[in-house]
Amino acid sequence: MAVKIRLKRMGKIRTAIYRVVVMDSRTKRDGRAIEEIGKYDPNQEPSLIEIDKERADYWLAQGAQPTEAVAALLRHYDEGTLKVAETGPSKKDLYEAAVAAAGSAEAGAPAPTPRKKATPKAEAPTDEQGAAPAADTDAGEAAAQSTDADADAAADKA
């Protein structure tokens, strides 16, 4: 039986996660494995590579052949060229800082996002009698002309 150390694909459609497995070379890619010896997640920054080195060495000593991808992962793992993700503050510390900030905001400190102040509405200008001026329209000009004509006609009669 030809044994290989290869990757078994798992995860969602476009976010694949792989397991490093030992399996018979004739089984399908995602078939039953003899043993799972590690994980590989290329989606993280930097990529997550976890391999049980003891078990990998055991299977290599038994004659298992690694695929090209697994051989590259083992080389990175052996050389110590793995990038390690930076450890940031813990979730508990972030939570406590947020609670402290919220407590100081309630105590009279300014809100983190200033609110817009309402603009006062401007009052419409009025004429001497208190009525709003008429809008300049064609109908207004026609009405003014007719009142002038009526006044002229009344003056002629008088």
Side-chain angles (χ1 to χ4, degrees), residues 22-69:
V22 178
M23 58 178 26
D24 183 12
S25 63
R26 295 170 288 188
T27 59
K28 56 186 178 178
R29 177 190 72 181
D30 300 334
R32 196 180 80 166
I34 298 171
E35 184 178 356
E36 293 180 1
I37 60 172
K39 297 178 200 173
Y40 171 55
D41 187 359
N43 302 315
Q44 294 183 12
E45 185 58 40
S47 298
L48 169 75
I49 302 173
E50 292 179 0
I51 298 176
D52 185 359
K53 189 64 179 148
E54 238 178 64
R55 294 307 296 166
D57 289 340
Y58 168 79
W59 282 107
L60 290 171
Q62 296 300 317
Q65 297 295 315
T67 61
E68 291 179 19

Side-chain angles (χ1 to χ4, degrees), residues 2-157:
V3 178
K4 291 217 174 232
I5 302 175
R6 62 186 189 188
L7 297 175
K8 179 179 181 179
R9 190 180 196 283
M10 307 193 73
K12 297 179 183 178
I13 290 177
R14 289 178 183 83
T15 56
I17 298 173
Y18 300 93
R19 290 190 182 166
V20 181
V21 295
V22 178
M23 58 178 26
D24 183 12
S25 63
R26 295 170 288 188
T27 59
K28 56 186 178 178
R29 177 190 72 181
D30 300 334
R32 196 180 80 166
I34 298 171
E35 184 178 356
E36 293 180 1
I37 60 172
K39 297 178 200 173
Y40 171 55
D41 187 359
N43 302 315
Q44 294 183 12
E45 185 58 40
S47 298
L48 169 75
I49 302 173
E50 292 179 0
I51 298 176
D52 185 359
K53 189 64 179 148
E54 238 178 64
R55 294 307 296 166
D57 289 340
Y58 168 79
W59 282 107
L60 290 171
Q62 296 300 317
Q65 297 295 315
T67 61
E68 291 179 19
V70 172
L73 291 176
L74 288 172
R75 257 190 318 250
H76 284 295
Y77 205 75
D78 287 340
E79 294 172 359
T81 58
L82 289 177
K83 294 180 185 175
V84 179
E86 297 177 7
T87 56
S90 68
K91 288 185 178 181
K92 183 178 179 183
D93 295 338
L94 291 173
Y95 173 76
E96 289 173 355
V99 168
S104 66
E106 291 175 3
T113 307
R115 296 183 180 213
K116 285 187 175 179
K117 294 184 179 179
T119 57
K121 294 184 180 180
E123 293 185 21
T126 58
D127 61 359
E128 303 84 36
Q129 298 169 355
D136 293 335
T137 61
D138 292 335
E141 291 174 11
Q145 290 175 357
S146 66
T147 56
D148 291 339
D150 292 339
D152 289 339
D156 290 339
K157 287 183 184 179

